[in-house]
Amino acid sequence: MIRIKEGFQGERMVVVPPYIRKRQDEDPFLSTLYITDIGYYPRAEHHYVRRNEALRQYVLLYCINGRGMFSIGTGGKQMTICENQYVILPAGAAHEYCSCEDSPWTIYWIHFAGTLASYYAQNCGTPHDVRPNLESRISNRISLFEEILAVMQAGLDDDNLHYASSLLHHFLASLRCIHAYRSVNTKNDGSDIIDAAKHYMDENVERHLSLSQIADYVGLSVSYFSMRFRKAEGCSPIAYMNRTKVDRACELLRTTNMQINQISYKVGINDALYFSRLFSKQMGMSPSEYKAQY
């Protein structure tokens, strides 16, 4: 079996140097909750990590696509983590985790510590579901992660570290207090099947959804769902999904320094050439030309 720790096409990560970690430990605000490592690995084939010596930090693994395996402690029980699930590996324990060969995972991951870290990690050593529903707000949570990663990539000065810590509180609270997080969503009241389908596609913009998956979600046959959607929206469900992906790509091109191949993975398209063709068809210009305008 091929095993690699990192080095995946489209990956992004920040590792905080030891001298800054010391500064975080000593800062009255940061010492409550801070990040030591953060990253995003899309379709991480052969990803494998084994740590026999325990970390001081907790390790969050948030899977949005594919599957992986993990175990906690020497000889611990091996468990599976699937898409729309997360786990927090405890500080002070050896652990092991890997991407499944037949369905490599796409994960967001954070190593975090601080006096409040154990609160957010409590009872999270087994997979927890964050599956999409009408109130799920997955896209909001992913935007929070992206903002944390972006601010840390911009620099590790005190302002950035304090802001990243504040956002981390919000991000982890969206997982631990998931019912409260979802209850404030007023985007969709669930009264319309087409709105429900659009919300599902918006929440899963980073995945490749089939038409049957979308129809199954709203409980209709593919043909009847497609007819209703086209009548309501004036386009097919797949055309809407592609438009959503391109809209998201435009936002990332305007607001981040991500490479085009990284953005392609972020909108659920593993083929950067296909992504460029789709983008050009909808926008009348290539992604690089669009980015040059901003």
Side-chain angles (χ1 to χ4, degrees):
M1 178 189 297
I2 301 172
R3 292 175 170 178
I4 56 177
K5 294 187 69 173
E6 56 191 49
F8 311 103
Q9 186 174 7
E11 73 168 33
R12 289 171 294 134
M13 60 187 296
V14 173
V15 177
V16 177
Y19 76 94
I20 294 181
R21 296 185 191 185
K22 184 175 184 298
R23 200 167 83 215
Q24 290 174 311
D25 260 332
E26 296 171 349
D27 183 286
F29 178 82
L30 292 175
S31 61
T32 63
L33 189 70
Y34 62 88
I35 296 165
T36 63
D37 309 77
I38 182 172
Y40 165 76
Y41 289 166
R43 193 170 169 77
E45 292 185 277
H46 313 302
H47 183 207
Y48 174 78
V49 172
R50 179 184 179 90
R51 295 187 177 98
N52 294 319
E53 294 186 8
L55 292 176
R56 287 183 54 212
Q57 300 86 30
Y58 294 86
V59 179
L60 167 76
L61 303 173
Y62 181 6
C63 179
I64 63 163
N65 209 354
R67 293 182 291 110
M69 307 290 292
F70 72 95
S71 62
I72 299 170
T74 304
K77 177 184 176 182
Q78 193 172 66
M79 290 178 273
T80 301
I81 179 171
C82 303
E83 65 185 24
N84 294 311
Q85 291 186 328
Y86 76 93
V87 65
I88 299 179
L89 308 178
H95 58 246
E96 183 178 19
Y97 54 87
C98 65
S99 177
C100 287
E101 290 191 347
D102 61 338
S103 183
W105 64 12
T106 294
I107 56 169
Y108 293 93
W109 55 269
I110 305 175
H111 296 195
F112 64 95
T115 57
L116 293 178
S118 60
Y119 166 77
Y120 290 112
Q122 188 176 6
N123 300 322
C124 292
T126 57
H128 282 52
D129 284 342
V130 285
R131 299 184 188 281
N133 62 24
L134 294 178
E135 293 82 31
S136 50
R137 299 180 66 201
I138 291 173
S139 58
N140 297 68
R141 183 183 296 114
I142 297 303
S143 294
L144 276 174
F145 183 96
E146 288 295 339
E147 193 162 351
I148 295 169
L149 184 56
V151 75
M152 295 190 70
Q153 286 178 320
L156 298 176
D157 57 40
D158 284 349
D159 278 353
N160 284 8
L161 291 173
H162 281 79
Y163 186 53
S165 175
S166 299
L167 291 173
L168 181 61
H169 278 282
H170 190 180
F171 180 84
L172 294 175
S174 79
L175 297 170
R176 180 166 179 79
C177 310
I178 190 167
H179 297 299
Y181 175 73
R182 290 179 169 184
S183 70
V184 299
N185 183 31
T186 57
K187 179 180 178 181
N188 193 314
D189 62 6
S191 61
D192 187 272
I193 281 178
I194 302 306
D195 283 346
K198 289 163 62 180
H199 179 70
Y200 181 65
M201 288 186 272
D202 291 344
E203 291 284 77
N204 287 279
V205 71
E206 296 193 34
R207 296 176 56 205
H208 173 72
L209 290 179
S210 67
L211 183 57
S212 62
Q213 285 175 302
I214 305 168
D216 285 346
Y217 178 75
V218 294
L220 298 177
S221 70
V222 169
S223 58
Y224 183 60
F225 167 64
S226 296
M227 181 271 293
R228 282 195 58 174
F229 192 97
R230 187 181 291 274
K231 184 177 179 179
E233 296 296 316
C235 65
S236 70
I238 297 304
Y240 177 89
M241 186 72 176
N242 286 337
R243 190 171 69 212
T244 300
K245 290 178 182 292
V246 170
D247 287 347
R248 176 61 174 151
C250 287
E251 179 187 348
L252 294 171
L253 287 166
R254 291 194 305 268
T255 61
T256 75
N257 292 320
M258 292 168 59
Q259 300 298 313
I260 290 171
N261 70 314
Q262 293 174 326
I263 291 174
S264 176
Y265 276 101
K266 277 289 293 173
V267 297
I269 300 175
N270 295 334
D271 185 339
L273 292 177
Y274 173 75
F275 165 70
S276 293
R277 289 197 299 270
L278 176 66
F279 188 98
S280 298
K281 182 178 179 179
Q282 292 200 27
M283 299 302 297
M285 65 183 76
S286 69
S288 57
E289 290 171 334
Y290 184 91
K291 188 175 182 66
Q293 294 185 356
Y294 295 91

